[in-house]
Amino acid sequence: MVLAGVDVAGAVVTLDALHTQQVTAEAIVTDHHAAYVLAIKGNQPNLFTAAAARFTQPNSYFQDAGRYVSDTTTGHGRVERRDIRVADA
């Protein structure tokens, strides 16, 4: 595993979609005592659908819990909106 020999206890580990695997997530939590943020792309349709189902509540559900942030920026000739929602696993 990519974290072998690295002390990340108490940290939040971020990995790209290549590492979004159940065994990796379990190892980060159980073996390394850390938390994680993993990317999910559409090329894993079952995982993408399952994760999307956790975020089907309206924005107000997440705002009330302090778990929703929205940001709009402009640059490079485009407007980008980022919505960050946090849901229980």
Side-chain angles (χ1 to χ4, degrees):
M1 178 182 190
V2 71
L3 294 175
V6 179
D7 181 12
V8 294
V12 177
V13 178
T14 59
L15 300 168
D16 66 12
L18 174 68
H19 299 286
T20 301
Q21 304 292 327
Q22 184 174 353
V23 67
T24 302
E26 289 176 355
I28 290 170
V29 173
T30 59
D31 299 341
H32 297 280
H33 309 288
Y36 58 83
V37 175
L38 302 175
I40 300 172
K41 291 186 175 179
N43 64 347
Q44 296 184 31
N46 293 336
L47 177 59
F48 190 84
T49 300
R54 299 295 293 171
F55 294 94
T56 58
Q57 300 291 336
N59 290 343
S60 59
Y61 171 81
F62 295 95
Q63 289 169 330
D64 291 343
R67 302 180 296 177
Y68 173 78
V69 176
S70 181
D71 181 44
T72 303
T73 59
T74 59
H76 304 290
R78 64 180 177 261
V79 176
E80 295 180 354
R81 178 177 169 178
R82 293 175 184 86
D83 293 317
I84 301 172
R85 292 173 153 194
V86 177
D88 298 331

